Amino acid sequence: MKLHSVTLHHIKMTLKTPFVNSLETVNDRELIIVEAIDTDGYVGFGEGVAFTSPWYTEETLETSWHMLKDFMIPTLKAQVLPHPSDVEHLLKGIRRNPMAKYAIEGAIWDLYAKREGISLAEALGGTAKRIKAGVAVGASEPEVMLNEISKRIEEGYERIKVKIKPSQDLSLIRAIRKSHPSIDLMADANSAYTLNDIERLKELDQYGLLMIEQPLAADDIVDHALLQKELETPVCLDESIASYDDARRALSLSSCRIINIKPGRVGGLSVSKKIHDLCASQNIPVWCGGMLESGIGRAHNIALSSLPNFTIPGDVSASSRYWERDIILPEVIVENGSIAVPDGSGIGFELNRKELERVTLAKEIR
Ligand SMILES: O=C(O)CCC(=O)c1ccccc1C(=O)O
Ligand SMILES: [Mg+2]
């Protein structure tokens, strides 16, 4: 495989409704779509999932664009690429910037699978034909959240995640449990707590949550280990796991019992697979997180979720969860609580070029 050119598309998609968590309100989702073309004319797509401001991690859309344009694309264009799993090593000289790395590495995985005439899921070693769909419900007034939860359950979602913070946690979870005593329910705090809140967090144990996601600071796997010792509810780490080594260290400290894998957060599909394998070897279940992706990123998440240790439904939901119209065809749909893993080559969805152009703000060919 040899790259001929890479086009970066800066897009802006309007969310059906703003997505609110303890740190940020997202109204419009700006993303980078990476279109990589090789010298034989095969095309692969990847997605840069950094936000426009550094609230979730330090990367932004602009920093990703810079890293891709000035460092990553030139490095990868300069050589023959034996296999997508080599990209991680080829980009080792560029520190961090995992979302930018994933954006180009994901496109190369899609390109590779298309060259081989196999699905991305198969290329990654995935086996599931369908994956269970979960959905995240953003923070809002409790009545609004309860209504949305009922709607999502009617739509077939079998695992609901809600955003919590100290000013809206126990009463919210209690109210949800009253209406839905046995639904698979979990809470994501996006680091809204500290160890001073330990008694409050212990109270959550009585509601049978599947897990609590990222209660403490992004950079604190030590405090998470102390917290996990005190809680019956499994702790799941999201922001704290930005690399394979972070996962290895978190498991050796018992900082969590579950890991949320987002390929953008950890630097690519190859790293995601390695974390998946490490967790499998230690009986730690994983699930695929979401980043308010367009259909391109969603397609990658579906393929990744077909690996066998993705035993918990992720934040992988239908295109219509966030978008009036997606940039892929067909769109991702949820049927009977699950999503089909496509068996066409590569990501298994076509780019809706007309829709991509409609949402494009800027484009650059390297
Ligand atoms: O539905 C989704 O795409 C995931 C929603 C979500 O929780 C989220 C969305 C954007 C950034 C971070 C997170 C998170 O998991 O913390
Ligand atoms: Mg999270």
Side-chain angles (χ1 to χ4, degrees):
M1 239 179 334
K2 179 96 173 59
L3 289 178
H4 168 263
S5 62
V6 179
T7 305
L8 302 178
H9 306 259
H10 175 178
I11 66 168
K12 179 174 177 170
M13 296 170 75
T14 303
L15 290 165
K16 279 182 168 175
T17 52
F19 188 79
V20 183
N21 60 60
S22 64
L23 300 169
E24 182 74 347
T25 296
V26 184
N27 295 293
D28 298 309
R29 184 65 167 114
E30 294 186 38
L31 294 159
I32 301 173
I33 301 299
V34 176
E35 180 177 10
I37 305 178
D38 76 357
T39 49
D40 296 317
Y42 287 91
V43 183
F45 294 100
E47 183 162 311
V49 294
F51 292 91
T52 49
S53 69
W55 65 268
Y56 174 72
T57 64
E58 53 270 63
E59 284 182 280
T60 68
L61 186 144
E62 288 273 341
T63 66
S64 287
W65 192 279
H66 167 48
M67 290 297 147
L68 284 160
K69 176 171 79 113
D70 296 324
F71 301 105
M72 295 175 186
I73 296 170
T75 300
L76 296 174
K77 274 186 76 177
Q79 48 209 308
V80 173
L81 306 173
H83 188 271
S85 59
D86 298 312
V87 171
E88 187 196 350
H89 178 72
L90 296 174
L91 297 180
K92 266 256 144 64
I94 300 166
R95 283 180 172 245
R96 304 206 188 215
N97 293 284
M99 294 178 183
K101 286 177 179 164
Y102 164 56
I104 182 72
E105 188 243 22
I108 292 169
W109 268 104
D110 180 30
L111 182 57
Y112 166 80
K114 284 172 176 156
R115 287 184 66 97
E116 298 292 311
I118 60 174
S119 69
L120 177 60
E122 187 184 344
L124 291 168
T127 47
K129 297 288 170 234
R130 300 191 70 85
I131 62 156
K132 287 243 176 264
V135 68
V137 173
S140 183
E141 295 306 315
E143 315 81 76
V144 177
M145 293 178 76
L146 280 163
N147 281 336
E148 182 177 344
I149 290 167
S150 303
K151 180 175 151 214
R152 298 302 174 203
I153 293 171
E154 273 167 39
E155 289 170 345
Y157 292 101
E158 289 176 4
R159 191 235 63 190
I160 303 287
K161 159 170 139 180
V162 289
K163 295 291 187 177
I164 57 162
K165 55 187 172 184
S167 60
Q168 188 172 80
D169 49 15
L170 296 166
S171 57
L172 173 71
I173 299 294
R174 196 177 306 122
I176 299 171
R177 272 291 178 238
K178 219 170 146 197
S179 317
H180 307 286
S182 57
I183 185 86
D184 280 349
L185 180 66
M186 55 179 285
D188 185 1
N190 292 102
S191 304
Y193 297 87
T194 71
L195 279 183
N196 293 332
D197 300 308
I198 205 153
E199 291 308 318
R200 196 172 182 90
L201 291 167
K202 275 186 182 170
E203 297 230 19
L204 284 171
D205 278 343
Q206 62 191 293
Y207 300 105
L209 298 180
L210 274 182
M211 70 193 84
I212 177 166
E213 182 181 347
Q214 197 68 42
L216 310 178
D219 54 3
D220 208 334
I221 57 172
V222 173
D223 283 357
H224 276 105
L226 296 172
L227 176 65
Q228 179 67 91
K229 267 199 202 71
E230 300 293 320
L231 290 188
E232 280 166 36
T233 308
V235 169
C236 169
L237 292 177
D238 174 358
E239 286 92 324
S240 290
I241 309 297
S243 66
Y244 174 84
D245 283 321
D246 283 348
R248 182 179 56 73
R249 287 186 275 249
L251 295 186
S252 76
L253 287 176
S254 301
S255 308
C256 61
R257 293 194 201 127
I258 299 173
I259 288 182
N260 153 342
I261 299 181
K262 294 181 182 177
R265 199 194 60 230
V266 301
L269 292 170
S270 303
V271 180
S272 298
K273 192 172 149 60
K274 285 185 199 165
I275 295 175
H276 163 277
D277 294 350
L278 171 74
C279 289
S281 75
Q282 300 191 22
N283 292 316
I284 297 288
V286 301
W287 55 280
C288 184
M291 287 289 287
L292 311 173
E293 288 92 348
S294 85
I296 298 292
R298 224 159 269 280
H300 283 269
N301 287 346
I302 293 167
L304 181 64
S305 301
S306 73
L307 292 169
N309 193 37
F310 280 84
T311 51
I312 300 173
D315 283 344
V316 188
S317 30
S319 296
S320 63
R321 158 71 182 90
Y322 291 111
W323 317 121
E324 284 308 339
R325 187 171 300 133
D326 205 341
I327 59 167
I328 53 162
L329 286 170
E331 297 198 347
V332 175
I333 53 169
V334 169
E335 278 174 314
N336 300 318
S338 67
I339 296 172
V341 178
D343 50 18
S345 67
I347 56 173
F349 295 86
E350 294 299 318
L351 179 73
N352 181 344
R353 184 73 66 176
K354 204 172 140 210
E355 190 57 20
L356 177 79
E357 271 161 25
R358 199 183 68 78
V359 297
T360 296
L361 299 179
K363 155 171 145 172
E364 199 163 331
I365 306 176
R366 307 302 294 183

